[in-house]
PDB file of all heavy atoms in Angstrom:
ATOM      1  N   ARG A 164      21.333 162.775 115.045  1.00 94.00           N
ATOM      2  CA  ARG A 164      20.476 161.729 115.471  1.00 94.00           C
ATOM      3  C   ARG A 164      20.000 160.826 114.263  1.00 94.00           C
ATOM      4  O   ARG A 164      20.141 161.165 113.053  1.00 94.00           O
ATOM      5  CB  ARG A 164      19.162 162.348 115.989  1.00 94.00           C
ATOM      6  CG  ARG A 164      18.372 163.128 114.998  1.00 94.00           C
ATOM      7  CD  ARG A 164      17.126 163.759 115.578  1.00 94.00           C
ATOM      8  NE  ARG A 164      16.197 162.839 116.331  1.00 94.00           N
ATOM      9  CZ  ARG A 164      15.178 163.142 117.033  1.00 94.00           C
ATOM     10  NH1 ARG A 164      14.878 164.469 117.263  1.00 94.00           N
ATOM     11  NH2 ARG A 164      14.397 162.204 117.521  1.00 94.00           N
ATOM     12  N   ILE A 165      19.551 159.720 114.588  1.00 92.00           N
ATOM     13  CA  ILE A 165      18.723 158.783 113.634  1.00 92.00           C
ATOM     14  C   ILE A 165      17.535 158.395 114.562  1.00 92.00           C
ATOM     15  O   ILE A 165      17.660 157.628 115.326  1.00 92.00           O
ATOM     16  CB  ILE A 165      19.521 157.566 113.210  1.00 92.00           C
ATOM     17  CG1 ILE A 165      20.686 158.065 112.269  1.00 92.00           C
ATOM     18  CG2 ILE A 165      18.572 156.745 112.264  1.00 92.00           C
ATOM     19  CD1 ILE A 165      21.528 156.874 111.815  1.00 92.00           C
ATOM     20  N   GLY A 166      16.367 158.989 114.163  1.00 90.00           N
ATOM     21  CA  GLY A 166      15.134 158.710 114.966  1.00 90.00           C
ATOM     22  C   GLY A 166      15.387 158.974 116.458  1.00 90.00           C
ATOM     23  O   GLY A 166      15.806 160.049 116.910  1.00 90.00           O
ATOM     24  N   PRO A 167      15.110 158.042 117.334  1.00 92.00           N
ATOM     25  CA  PRO A 167      15.249 158.281 118.723  1.00 92.00           C
ATOM     26  C   PRO A 167      16.761 158.077 119.229  1.00 92.00           C
ATOM     27  O   PRO A 167      16.935 158.324 120.411  1.00 92.00           O
ATOM     28  CB  PRO A 167      14.348 157.094 119.357  1.00 92.00           C
ATOM     29  CG  PRO A 167      14.566 155.939 118.439  1.00 92.00           C
ATOM     30  CD  PRO A 167      14.599 156.600 117.006  1.00 92.00           C
ATOM     31  N   MET A 168      17.659 157.782 118.388  1.00 95.00           N
ATOM     32  CA  MET A 168      19.045 157.692 118.829  1.00 95.00           C
ATOM     33  C   MET A 168      19.756 158.998 118.545  1.00 95.00           C
ATOM     34  O   MET A 168      20.030 159.416 117.490  1.00 95.00           O
ATOM     35  CB  MET A 168      19.727 156.520 118.029  1.00 95.00           C
ATOM     36  CG  MET A 168      19.025 155.325 118.199  1.00 95.00           C
ATOM     37  SD  MET A 168      19.391 153.902 117.117  1.00 95.00           S
ATOM     38  CE  MET A 168      18.324 154.498 115.616  1.00 95.00           C
ATOM     39  N   VAL A 169      19.925 159.752 119.685  1.00 96.00           N
ATOM     40  CA  VAL A 169      20.434 161.083 119.630  1.00 96.00           C
ATOM     41  C   VAL A 169      21.746 161.293 120.315  1.00 96.00           C
ATOM     42  O   VAL A 169      22.089 160.802 121.327  1.00 96.00           O
ATOM     43  CB  VAL A 169      19.502 162.098 120.353  1.00 96.00           C
ATOM     44  CG1 VAL A 169      19.820 163.552 120.324  1.00 96.00           C
ATOM     45  CG2 VAL A 169      17.946 161.842 119.749  1.00 96.00           C
ATOM     46  N   VAL A 170      22.666 162.073 119.572  1.00 97.00           N
ATOM     47  CA  VAL A 170      23.931 162.445 120.190  1.00 97.00           C
ATOM     48  C   VAL A 170      23.698 163.492 121.301  1.00 97.00           C
ATOM     49  O   VAL A 170      23.306 164.580 121.045  1.00 97.00           O
ATOM     50  CB  VAL A 170      24.967 162.955 119.163  1.00 97.00           C
ATOM     51  CG1 VAL A 170      26.174 163.385 119.746  1.00 97.00           C
ATOM     52  CG2 VAL A 170      25.145 161.983 117.974  1.00 97.00           C
ATOM     53  N   GLU A 171      24.000 163.139 122.551  1.00 97.00           N
ATOM     54  CA  GLU A 171      23.769 163.991 123.649  1.00 97.00           C
ATOM     55  C   GLU A 171      25.009 164.479 124.432  1.00 97.00           C
ATOM     56  O   GLU A 171      24.984 165.400 125.134  1.00 97.00           O
ATOM     57  CB  GLU A 171      22.866 163.417 124.656  1.00 97.00           C
ATOM     58  CG  GLU A 171      21.388 163.061 124.036  1.00 97.00           C
ATOM     59  CD  GLU A 171      20.438 162.350 125.003  1.00 97.00           C
ATOM     60  OE1 GLU A 171      20.997 161.778 126.026  1.00 97.00           O
ATOM     61  OE2 GLU A 171      19.274 162.562 124.880  1.00 97.00           O
ATOM     62  N   HIS A 172      26.158 163.737 124.090  1.00 97.00           N
ATOM     63  CA  HIS A 172      27.410 164.012 124.744  1.00 97.00           C
ATOM     64  C   HIS A 172      28.581 163.910 123.634  1.00 97.00           C
ATOM     65  O   HIS A 172      28.327 163.539 122.464  1.00 97.00           O
ATOM     66  CB  HIS A 172      27.604 163.132 125.810  1.00 97.00           C
ATOM     67  CG  HIS A 172      26.556 163.041 126.867  1.00 97.00           C
ATOM     68  ND1 HIS A 172      26.244 164.109 127.701  1.00 97.00           N
ATOM     69  CD2 HIS A 172      25.488 162.147 126.945  1.00 97.00           C
ATOM     70  CE1 HIS A 172      25.098 163.805 128.465  1.00 97.00           C
ATOM     71  NE2 HIS A 172      24.671 162.614 128.035  1.00 97.00           N
ATOM     72  N   ASP A 173      29.775 164.116 124.008  1.00 98.00           N
ATOM     73  CA  ASP A 173      30.882 163.686 123.140  1.00 98.00           C
ATOM     74  C   ASP A 173      30.762 162.296 122.801  1.00 98.00           C
ATOM     75  O   ASP A 173      30.632 161.401 123.683  1.00 98.00           O
ATOM     76  CB  ASP A 173      32.173 164.008 123.951  1.00 98.00           C
ATOM     77  CG  ASP A 173      32.406 165.473 124.192  1.00 98.00           C
ATOM     78  OD1 ASP A 173      31.566 166.353 123.615  1.00 98.00           O
ATOM     79  OD2 ASP A 173      33.420 165.776 124.787  1.00 98.00           O
ATOM     80  N   HIS A 174      30.995 161.912 121.543  1.00 98.00           N
ATOM     81  CA  HIS A 174      30.647 160.650 121.032  1.00 98.00           C
ATOM     82  C   HIS A 174      31.480 160.199 120.016  1.00 98.00           C
ATOM     83  O   HIS A 174      31.895 160.911 119.026  1.00 98.00           O
ATOM     84  CB  HIS A 174      29.141 160.715 120.474  1.00 98.00           C
ATOM     85  CG  HIS A 174      28.694 159.384 119.937  1.00 98.00           C
ATOM     86  ND1 HIS A 174      28.459 158.289 120.728  1.00 98.00           N
ATOM     87  CD2 HIS A 174      28.409 159.007 118.630  1.00 98.00           C
ATOM     88  CE1 HIS A 174      28.169 157.301 120.017  1.00 98.00           C
ATOM     89  NE2 HIS A 174      28.016 157.695 118.664  1.00 98.00           N
ATOM     90  N   ILE A 175      32.069 158.916 120.126  1.00 98.00           N
ATOM     91  CA  ILE A 175      32.977 158.408 119.089  1.00 98.00           C
ATOM     92  C   ILE A 175      32.277 157.698 117.921  1.00 98.00           C
ATOM     93  O   ILE A 175      31.339 156.930 118.184  1.00 98.00           O
ATOM     94  CB  ILE A 175      34.042 157.320 119.815  1.00 98.00           C
ATOM     95  CG1 ILE A 175      34.803 158.002 120.823  1.00 98.00           C
ATOM     96  CG2 ILE A 175      34.886 156.743 118.736  1.00 98.00           C
ATOM     97  CD1 ILE A 175      35.659 157.071 121.669  1.00 98.00           C
ATOM     98  N   LEU A 176      32.623 158.131 116.728  1.00 98.00           N
ATOM     99  CA  LEU A 176      31.885 157.549 115.567  1.00 98.00           C
ATOM    100  C   LEU A 176      32.583 156.335 115.106  1.00 98.00           C
ATOM    101  O   LEU A 176      33.470 155.815 115.498  1.00 98.00           O
ATOM    102  CB  LEU A 176      31.881 158.559 114.495  1.00 98.00           C
ATOM    103  CG  LEU A 176      31.271 159.980 114.836  1.00 98.00           C
ATOM    104  CD1 LEU A 176      31.778 161.083 113.845  1.00 98.00           C
ATOM    105  CD2 LEU A 176      29.789 159.873 114.823  1.00 98.00           C
ATOM    106  N   GLY A 177      31.794 155.813 114.027  1.00 98.00           N
ATOM    107  CA  GLY A 177      32.380 154.667 113.260  1.00 98.00           C
ATOM    108  C   GLY A 177      31.806 153.279 113.583  1.00 98.00           C
ATOM    109  O   GLY A 177      31.822 152.799 114.835  1.00 98.00           O
ATOM    110  N   HIS A 178      31.298 152.595 112.552  1.00 98.00           N
ATOM    111  CA  HIS A 178      30.852 151.111 112.837  1.00 98.00           C
ATOM    112  C   HIS A 178      31.043 150.322 111.668  1.00 98.00           C
ATOM    113  O   HIS A 178      30.598 149.228 111.504  1.00 98.00           O
ATOM    114  CB  HIS A 178      29.301 151.304 113.076  1.00 98.00           C
ATOM    115  CG  HIS A 178      28.385 151.846 111.849  1.00 98.00           C
ATOM    116  ND1 HIS A 178      28.291 153.066 111.635  1.00 98.00           N
ATOM    117  CD2 HIS A 178      27.749 151.056 110.884  1.00 98.00           C
ATOM    118  CE1 HIS A 178      27.530 153.182 110.482  1.00 98.00           C
ATOM    119  NE2 HIS A 178      27.169 152.049 110.092  1.00 98.00           N
ATOM    120  N   GLU A 179      31.976 150.714 110.702  1.00 98.00           N
ATOM    121  CA  GLU A 179      32.305 149.910 109.536  1.00 98.00           C
ATOM    122  C   GLU A 179      33.829 149.697 109.497  1.00 98.00           C
ATOM    123  O   GLU A 179      34.604 150.379 108.907  1.00 98.00           O
ATOM    124  CB  GLU A 179      31.900 150.607 108.235  1.00 98.00           C
ATOM    125  CG  GLU A 179      30.522 151.077 108.275  1.00 98.00           C
ATOM    126  CD  GLU A 179      30.132 151.979 106.991  1.00 98.00           C
ATOM    127  OE1 GLU A 179      30.997 152.090 106.061  1.00 98.00           O
ATOM    128  OE2 GLU A 179      29.236 152.629 106.984  1.00 98.00           O
ATOM    129  N   SER A 180      34.274 148.593 110.226  1.00 98.00           N
ATOM    130  CA  SER A 180      35.655 148.473 110.473  1.00 98.00           C
ATOM    131  C   SER A 180      36.276 147.013 110.309  1.00 98.00           C
ATOM    132  O   SER A 180      35.498 146.103 110.472  1.00 98.00           O
ATOM    133  CB  SER A 180      36.068 148.992 111.866  1.00 98.00           C
ATOM    134  OG  SER A 180      35.734 150.340 112.093  1.00 98.00           O
ATOM    135  N   ALA A 181      37.540 147.099 110.022  1.00 98.00           N
ATOM    136  CA  ALA A 181      38.245 145.784 109.964  1.00 98.00           C
ATOM    137  C   ALA A 181      39.719 146.012 110.544  1.00 98.00           C
ATOM    138  O   ALA A 181      40.164 147.211 110.485  1.00 98.00           O
ATOM    139  CB  ALA A 181      38.302 145.336 108.576  1.00 98.00           C
ATOM    140  N   GLY A 182      40.164 144.934 111.022  1.00 98.00           N
ATOM    141  CA  GLY A 182      41.504 145.056 111.608  1.00 98.00           C
ATOM    142  C   GLY A 182      42.201 143.777 112.075  1.00 98.00           C
ATOM    143  O   GLY A 182      41.807 142.713 111.570  1.00 98.00           O
ATOM    144  N   GLU A 183      43.191 143.891 112.895  1.00 98.00           N
ATOM    145  CA  GLU A 183      43.943 142.652 113.378  1.00 98.00           C
ATOM    146  C   GLU A 183      43.942 142.486 114.896  1.00 98.00           C
ATOM    147  O   GLU A 183      44.035 143.473 115.676  1.00 98.00           O
ATOM    148  CB  GLU A 183      45.457 143.002 112.852  1.00 98.00           C
ATOM    149  CG  GLU A 183      46.391 141.773 113.234  1.00 98.00           C
ATOM    150  CD  GLU A 183      47.730 142.142 112.720  1.00 98.00           C
ATOM    151  OE1 GLU A 183      48.078 143.143 112.383  1.00 98.00           O
ATOM    152  OE2 GLU A 183      48.611 141.072 112.752  1.00 98.00           O
ATOM    153  N   ILE A 184      43.700 141.308 115.224  1.00 98.00           N
ATOM    154  CA  ILE A 184      43.615 140.984 116.711  1.00 98.00           C
ATOM    155  C   ILE A 184      45.076 141.082 117.246  1.00 98.00           C
ATOM    156  O   ILE A 184      45.941 140.553 116.717  1.00 98.00           O
ATOM    157  CB  ILE A 184      43.155 139.510 116.975  1.00 98.00           C
ATOM    158  CG1 ILE A 184      41.881 139.310 116.267  1.00 98.00           C
ATOM    159  CG2 ILE A 184      43.161 139.121 118.429  1.00 98.00           C
ATOM    160  CD1 ILE A 184      40.705 140.091 116.858  1.00 98.00           C
ATOM    161  N   ILE A 185      45.088 141.897 118.339  1.00 97.00           N
ATOM    162  CA  ILE A 185      46.453 142.105 118.912  1.00 97.00           C
ATOM    163  C   ILE A 185      46.531 141.579 120.390  1.00 97.00           C
ATOM    164  O   ILE A 185      47.504 141.643 121.074  1.00 97.00           O
ATOM    165  CB  ILE A 185      46.890 143.540 118.844  1.00 97.00           C
ATOM    166  CG1 ILE A 185      45.923 144.506 119.552  1.00 97.00           C
ATOM    167  CG2 ILE A 185      47.204 143.850 117.497  1.00 97.00           C
ATOM    168  CD1 ILE A 185      46.460 145.883 119.575  1.00 97.00           C
ATOM    169  N   ALA A 186      45.285 141.208 120.948  1.00 96.00           N
ATOM    170  CA  ALA A 186      45.171 140.709 122.322  1.00 96.00           C
ATOM    171  C   ALA A 186      43.957 139.929 122.459  1.00 96.00           C
ATOM    172  O   ALA A 186      42.881 140.348 121.895  1.00 96.00           O
ATOM    173  CB  ALA A 186      45.343 141.785 123.382  1.00 96.00           C
ATOM    174  N   THR A 187      43.959 138.802 123.320  1.00 97.00           N
ATOM    175  CA  THR A 187      42.719 138.086 123.557  1.00 97.00           C
ATOM    176  C   THR A 187      42.609 137.846 125.109  1.00 97.00           C
ATOM    177  O   THR A 187      43.597 137.650 125.804  1.00 97.00           O
ATOM    178  CB  THR A 187      42.741 136.689 122.754  1.00 97.00           C
ATOM    179  OG1 THR A 187      43.790 135.936 123.252  1.00 97.00           O
ATOM    180  CG2 THR A 187      42.884 136.931 121.317  1.00 97.00           C
TER     181      THR A 187
END
Side-chain angles (χ1 to χ4, degrees):
R164 68 182 298 172
I165 295 178
M168 298 163 285
V169 181
V170 176
E171 297 179 337
H172 309 284
D173 291 358
H174 179 65
I175 300 176
L176 297 166
H178 66 276
E179 309 171 10
S180 297
E183 185 177 10
I184 303 295
I185 59 173
T187 64

